[in-house]
Amino acid sequence: MALIAIAADKGSPGVTTAAVALAAVWPRRVLLAEADPAGGDLVYRSAAAHGGPLNPNTGMLSIAATARRGLVPDQLWDHVQPLSGGLEVVVGLGIAEQAAGLAGLWPTLGHAFASLADSPNAPADVIADCGRISGDTPAVELFPHAALVLLVSRTEPEALARVRDRAAALAQKLHGGPRGAASLATPLIGVVLVADPSSSGKLVNQVNDMLVHAQTGARVVGTIADDAAGADQLAGRKRGRLDKSLLIRSARKVTADIHQQYGAAWTVPTQAPHAGAGR
């Protein structure tokens, strides 16, 4: 099992929606961690399993106090809250200023997230929503521990140019520079496009060509449907058959493709599946 870090370069391409959608349909037990130093969104947009609000003090904020004394991976479960659909989450910081409490602890968090796979009691993949990243955001300190870094991008030309440049910068930082072998190095760097499903096939080929030409070592791993109604259903703001939404159907395809391409390298323990929001 593995740590999958999800991030974006700039703007609001839908990182949190993509992270929640992928986690909701993940084929194994998964923990969704809001690891955005700027603060999390789930406490404002999602209800807890008991029907009330999520506790903003149980999550990254409480982990910060624990991690000062060292962090054993199984301790992560002490800071988890289930959403109304059953998805297990570590709620993010309330405001960016609280990130000071995690200063110096991001590598410790990354190691704990990645090592949760080896827990003898409750192993799980971790999907970390790292929000918007830049060269100096501390969330990138999680990336060396990840098996896969996914950059989320919309499809406007300027957004694609930014994700190309960000992928190249990450290849330089994580792999020592752009090179053909970067596509085999760890962590792997992938791109998830938020796109209209009717035009996604041709677009994937074009963006892959761009990433290869720029020697980023990254490739498109899939597309998430640009589905506002599905996003509202996922957040509990709108009723409807979430499992039939374009958002969840596309997320299922992305997770299936990820596991087909990379899952053989991840340990698969025997356990009961979690009850995700998209099930």
Side-chain angles (χ1 to χ4, degrees), residues 139-151:
V140 299
E141 296 176 29
L142 298 178
F143 292 0
H145 301 277
L148 180 63
V149 175
L150 295 178
L151 298 175

Side-chain angles (χ1 to χ4, degrees), residues 7-18 45 151-164 191-196 203 207 210 220 222-228 231 247:
D9 180 76
K10 190 177 179 181
S12 301
V15 174
T16 297
T17 296
R45 66 164 72 175
L151 298 175
V152 179
S153 177
R154 293 194 178 272
T155 57
E156 297 83 2
E158 62 272 21
L160 295 177
R162 284 196 296 265
V163 79
R164 174 201 62 202
V191 172
V192 173
L193 299 174
V194 179
D196 181 340
L203 187 63
V207 176
M210 179 184 70
V220 178
T223 60
I224 295 285
D226 189 0
D227 177 15
L247 174 63

Side-chain angles (χ1 to χ4, degrees), residues 11-249:
S12 301
V15 174
T16 297
T17 296
V20 174
L22 294 176
V25 298
W26 204 250
R28 303 196 294 251
R29 190 177 189 185
V30 68
L31 174 61
L32 174 64
E34 283 195 292
D36 185 348
D41 295 326
L42 291 179
V43 73
Y44 305 112
R45 66 164 72 175
S46 300
H50 53 67
L54 293 163
N55 183 348
N57 297 314
T58 300
M60 292 292 284
L61 194 60
S62 56
I63 285 175
T66 299
R68 290 290 173 191
R69 301 183 296 274
L71 187 63
V72 176
D74 273 342
Q75 289 179 294
L76 292 170
W77 296 112
D78 297 334
H79 307 274
V80 168
Q81 301 179 67
L83 298 185
S84 58
L87 183 62
E88 296 167 300
V89 303
V90 173
V91 170
L93 301 172
I95 56 175
E97 285 75 9
Q98 291 176 338
L102 286 166
L105 296 177
W106 292 93
T108 300
L109 282 172
H111 182 265
F113 288 158
S115 300
L116 192 60
D118 300 321
S119 165
N121 302 313
D125 287 335
V126 175
I127 293 178
D129 171 3
C130 299
R132 293 185 294 273
I133 59 170
S134 60
D136 59 354
T137 181
V140 299
E141 296 176 29
L142 298 178
F143 292 0
H145 301 277
L148 180 63
V149 175
L150 295 178
L151 298 175
V152 179
S153 177
R154 293 194 178 272
T155 57
E156 297 83 2
E158 62 272 21
L160 295 177
R162 284 196 296 265
V163 79
R164 174 201 62 202
D165 294 345
R166 179 56 55 195
L170 283 177
Q172 174 70 39
K173 183 178 182 66
L174 298 171
H175 304 145
R179 58 187 182 187
S183 60
L184 302 176
T186 301
L188 299 161
I189 301 173
V191 172
V192 173
L193 299 174
V194 179
D196 181 340
S198 66
S199 61
S200 59
K202 181 179 179 181
L203 187 63
V204 165
N205 292 331
Q206 292 173 340
V207 176
N208 267 331
D209 288 345
M210 179 184 70
L211 294 171
V212 170
H213 182 73
Q215 295 184 298
T216 64
R219 65 186 298 272
V220 178
V221 300
T223 60
I224 295 285
D226 189 0
D227 177 15
D232 284 342
Q233 291 172 10
L234 186 66
R237 294 189 293 262
K238 185 175 181 179
R239 294 182 178 275
R241 287 291 303 274
L242 179 58
D243 60 326
K244 299 296 184 183
S245 69
L246 288 173
L247 174 63
I248 289 299
R249 285 160 54 194

